[in-house]
């Protein structure tokens, strides 16, 4: 299995999409870095900034419009969806552009100074009101989770048959990439052992909460973008941030903040371990498919050395 490559399209194709929604006048069309699965461009129309994303994956962006309304309506700085559509084999999405640069573009010291605000946003994400919906796992376009339980989702997500998804034929990675079957199965079995701790907690999960999906002006957080959004234990987002800022004291800062505002976190250690295994296992498979061997090795080492 070869590494996944994002779709490519020429300027004429981009301009055709923008002309359909805006008429003439779109300017400063510029490719943006980031986006592992989408080709992303910024542009300006009548003095306002926008972003357009293109994907060749089945079902791309069907949920993001719902998530945009959900989060922006509850005080989370998330871009508002302007339009959804298809051009040829590609799906596209147009959003308002938020100010700021990727937090990952700033120094480690600048990132750490914004950690208290990040912890506050994590707490707001965990408190997003999802009571009008049901289900676990990936969020459908109707706002509901696809699975009846967290365990059902975990098992389905790691099943061999992933026909029609990004992970179709993923077992080929055992032969064609750095993915090791014995390592994957060991961590999967550990993940299943912690499912009972995570399962009782159903909240909103951004699913990709790290510096390259967080915008900043250098002193404050200006927005959260993208995401592999799902329903489950919100500590998954904490685990993601900690793995991307490993020397920043993320976990202690989170616990201190929760204690300060009077939020109880039952079985915190067990739930966090379950979150590490869930996202780490996803990471191993993803890094192998993308051909990122260093990221694979680092995540492998971290997961195998986690202690109960």
């Amino acid at each position: 299995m070869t590494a996944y490559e994002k779709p490519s399209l020429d300027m004429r194709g981009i301009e055709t999409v923008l002309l359909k929604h805006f008429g003439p006048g779109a300017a400063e069309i510029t490719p943006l870095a980031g986006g592992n699965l989408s080709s992303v461009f910024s542009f300006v129309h009548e003095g306002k900034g926008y972003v357009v994303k293109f994907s060749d994956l089945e079902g791309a962006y069907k949920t993001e419009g719902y998530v945009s309304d959900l989060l922006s309506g509850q005080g989370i700085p998330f871009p508002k969806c302007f339009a959804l559509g298809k051009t040829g084999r590609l799906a596209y999405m147009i959003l308002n552009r938020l100010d700021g640069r990727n937090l990952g573009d700033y120094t480690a010291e600048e990132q750490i100074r914004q950690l208290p605000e990040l912890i506050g946003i994590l707490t707001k994400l965990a408190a997003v009101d999802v009571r009008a919906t049901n289900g676990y796992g990936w969020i459908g376009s109707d706002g509901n989770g696809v699975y009846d339980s967290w365990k059902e989702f975990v098992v389905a997500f790691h099943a061999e048959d992933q026909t029609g998804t990004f992970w179709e034929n993923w077992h080929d990675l055992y032969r064609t990439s750095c993915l090791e079957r014995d390592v994957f199965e060991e961590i999967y079995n550990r993940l299943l052992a912690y499912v009972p701790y995570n399962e009782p907690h159903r909240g909103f999960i951004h699913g990709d909460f790290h510096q390259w999906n967080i915008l900043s002006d250098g002193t404050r957080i200006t927005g959260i973008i993208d995401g592999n959004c799902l329903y489950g234990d919100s500590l998954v987002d904490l685990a993601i941030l900690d793995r991307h800022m490993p020397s920043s004291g993320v976990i202690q800062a989170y616990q201190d903040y929760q204690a300060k505002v009077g939020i109880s976190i039952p079985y915190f250690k067990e739930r966090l371990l379950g979150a590490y295994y869930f996202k780490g296992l996803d990471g191993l498979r993803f890094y192998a498919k993308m051909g990122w061997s260093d990221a694979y090795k680092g995540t492998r080492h971290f997961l195998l050395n986690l202690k109960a």
Side-chain angles (χ1 to χ4, degrees), residues 40-301:
V40 187
F41 303 84
S42 67
F43 66 97
V44 175
H45 186 267
E46 296 183 350
K48 296 181 179 179
Y50 299 89
V51 169
V52 59
K53 306 194 295 185
F54 297 89
S55 174
D56 59 2
L57 297 177
E58 182 67 28
Y61 312 134
K62 287 184 178 179
T63 297
E64 202 162 337
Y66 170 82
V67 170
S68 172
D69 290 340
L70 175 70
L71 297 186
S72 60
Q74 296 194 37
I76 307 296
F78 196 83
K80 194 77 172 173
C81 177
F82 181 82
L84 293 167
K86 292 205 73 171
T87 177
R89 65 185 182 85
L90 300 180
Y92 65 82
M93 182 179 194
I94 302 173
L95 311 103
N96 291 334
R97 184 173 185 184
L98 301 177
D99 294 331
R101 295 157 42 203
N102 287 339
L103 183 61
D105 290 338
Y106 294 94
T107 66
E109 292 76 14
E110 289 171 321
Q111 292 181 38
I112 291 172
R113 283 200 293 269
Q114 294 170 80
L115 183 58
E117 191 173 5
L118 285 174
I119 297 301
I121 292 173
L122 273 178
T123 304
K124 285 186 177 180
L125 283 171
V128 166
D129 188 352
V130 297
R131 290 175 296 178
T133 65
N134 56 66
Y136 292 77
W138 308 125
I139 301 174
S141 57
D142 63 353
N144 292 313
V146 175
Y147 299 93
D148 291 332
S149 70
W150 180 248
K151 182 176 182 179
E152 182 183 343
F153 164 62
V154 166
V155 171
F157 184 47
H158 297 100
E160 180 175 0
D161 184 4
Q162 303 286 344
T163 304
T165 75
F166 177 76
W167 292 116
E168 185 170 355
N169 298 322
W170 72 272
H171 271 217
D172 289 351
L173 292 171
Y174 290 133
R175 297 183 296 100
T176 61
S177 78
C178 58
L179 188 65
E180 304 153 286
R181 185 187 294 270
D182 59 338
V183 171
F184 192 92
E185 292 179 351
E186 165 67 21
I187 297 166
Y188 176 66
N189 288 331
R190 295 189 194 183
L191 168 61
L192 290 181
Y194 283 93
V195 162
Y197 293 102
N198 298 112
E199 193 153 48
H201 306 281
R202 180 184 179 272
F204 178 86
I205 302 172
H206 176 276
D208 221 2
F209 194 83
H210 56 66
Q211 298 98 313
W212 291 273
N213 286 329
I214 298 167
L215 302 179
S216 169
D217 64 7
T219 58
R220 56 177 290 272
I221 303 301
T222 58
I224 309 299
I225 58 175
D226 294 340
N228 295 314
C229 304
L230 61 157
Y231 295 130
D233 191 338
S234 58
L235 289 188
V236 168
D237 280 337
L238 176 64
I240 296 168
L241 185 64
D242 181 55
R243 290 291 296 130
H244 284 83
M245 299 179 68
S247 302
S248 306
V250 169
I251 301 303
Q252 190 61 56
Y254 186 84
Q255 290 180 293
D256 291 346
Y257 184 91
Q258 306 310 304
K260 181 178 178 180
V261 298
I263 297 176
S264 174
I265 315 176
Y267 295 106
F268 178 79
K269 180 179 180 180
E270 292 83 359
R271 290 167 58 189
L272 186 60
L273 282 169
Y276 281 137
Y277 285 130
F278 171 73
K279 281 306 296 184
L281 198 63
D282 184 29
L284 287 181
R285 189 167 59 171
F286 181 76
Y287 298 146
K289 182 166 183 174
M290 299 299 285
W292 299 350
S293 59
D294 288 345
Y296 175 88
K297 292 174 184 176
T299 301
R300 176 190 188 277
H301 176 79

